[in-house]
Amino acid sequence: MVSPDPVSYWIVLLDIEDFSPRPENAQATLHDELYEVVAFALRRAGLGFGDCRVQDRGDGMLILVPVATSPVRLLRELQRGLDDALLAHRKKYNENHRMRLRVGLNQGLVIRKGKRWTGNAINDVARLVDAGPVKRVLTEARRAQLVVVVSENVHKTVVLGGYPGIDPAAYLPADFVTKHGEPRRGWVTVPGYAAPPGLPANPGEPPGRATGGAPAPGGGAGRAGGGTGTGSPVPPPTLTARDVTGSQIAIGEGARAVGRDDVAGNVYYINSPVDQP
């Protein structure tokens, strides 16, 4: 069977922090409240659920926004709307029902077959939202309601465009490598913070591949927020218990964690989310 032609969308992925460990009644409340929170934020961006394609993910939501939508308004008002709605949610519920979100934004082609959506743009934003450095930022930003991560393309075309209400200095790069050895860089911001906590201000060059296909860590230190300038070599990060989950780690040359997560130098290895069914 021939696949339908792909369609271009703005792709928004939302994931609720620490959803599965909650009691079932808390999960049900969070699931229902997520729709209220997102509906409010979409209205701020001049949209409604009827304007978008929505896929329920239980602990989150995948939204395909028409490509004709202003990306500047979408990014700016979605952040503001989500932050305001999540703050209102927090005032209504106790800590067991607190909702904090990791939110990703990308743009690209999607193939839709009924309720099944596929495309590299969806896979990429899922990897961004699930990346270890992005999760760490939300952990460090305890007073924040959400963390937002955008793809390199969105950062280049929207964030760096100098548009009103979007501050490029509030974004820092987060580098990681997928389980398939693919280097990735997302750009992270946290509403209410001048810069996202838990990320180096001078991360160096984006991760690449060394000779023989082995992932290479970032190069020289870059400018704060940009990560593109040259400078002193970037030292590897200090690892803490939360850097390795369910693994044993060997310290030394070519250190490698055994299990779900790998760590090598200043490059994070994670398992990427399962592709769309």
Side-chain angles (χ1 to χ4, degrees):
M1 181 180 296
V2 178
S3 296
D5 290 336
V7 178
S8 185
Y9 289 100
W10 295 104
I11 305 167
V12 180
L13 178 61
L14 305 100
D15 190 85
I16 301 174
E17 181 191 44
D18 295 334
F19 182 83
S20 58
R22 314 283 186 101
E24 289 186 0
N25 68 325
Q27 291 184 17
T29 299
L30 290 171
H31 182 268
D32 291 342
E33 282 286 307
L34 179 62
Y35 277 81
E36 297 296 327
V37 166
V38 174
F40 178 86
L42 287 176
R43 286 196 296 270
R44 289 279 294 264
L47 297 165
F49 281 126
D51 303 309
C52 308
R53 304 279 181 173
V54 180
Q55 186 180 84
D56 190 304
R57 290 193 158 195
D59 61 350
M61 187 184 301
L62 180 64
I63 306 174
L64 304 182
V65 180
V67 74
T69 303
S70 165
V72 174
R73 185 175 185 182
L74 178 63
L75 179 59
R76 181 183 62 223
E77 300 304 331
L78 194 66
Q79 285 189 53
R80 293 175 177 177
L82 288 173
D83 197 35
D84 288 347
L86 288 169
L87 184 58
H89 168 87
R90 187 177 184 183
K91 292 178 179 178
K92 291 193 300 181
Y93 294 94
N94 60 29
E95 195 65 20
N96 286 337
H97 292 78
R98 184 184 182 188
M99 186 190 305
R100 302 207 309 161
L101 298 175
R102 299 192 309 277
V103 182
L105 177 63
N106 195 13
Q107 189 274 329
L109 298 177
V110 176
I111 295 175
R112 293 192 296 108
K113 290 184 177 181
K115 295 182 179 180
R116 294 181 296 167
W117 306 345
T118 59
N120 288 332
I122 291 178
N123 297 338
D124 286 343
V125 75
R127 293 182 178 113
L128 291 176
V129 168
D130 201 50
V134 177
K135 291 181 177 180
R136 176 178 301 173
V137 168
L138 190 55
T139 298
E140 297 286 342
R142 293 312 306 169
R143 73 172 187 271
Q145 314 305 320
L146 74 155
V147 59
V148 177
V149 56
V150 303
S151 65
E152 286 205 86
N153 180 55
V154 172
H155 179 259
K156 180 179 179 180
T157 59
V158 182
V159 175
L160 296 182
Y163 300 109
I166 298 178
D167 180 13
Y171 287 77
L172 286 179
D175 297 332
F176 63 100
V177 178
T178 71
K179 69 176 182 180
H180 300 297
E182 301 167 319
R184 290 287 187 270
R185 167 169 281 189
W187 290 84
V188 181
T189 189
V190 182
Y193 285 75
L199 291 177
N202 299 299
E205 297 295 333
R209 288 189 176 277
T211 303
R223 297 182 298 275
T228 56
T230 59
S232 303
V234 179
T238 299
L239 299 178
T240 65
R242 64 175 172 266
D243 293 311
V244 181
T245 303
S247 302
Q248 296 177 341
I249 185 166
I251 305 300
E253 182 69 18
R256 182 178 180 85
V258 180
R260 291 182 57 83
D261 306 313
D262 294 337
V263 180
N266 64 347
V267 179
Y268 302 84
Y269 292 75
I270 67 165
N271 273 335
S272 62
V274 177
D275 291 341
Q276 296 299 300

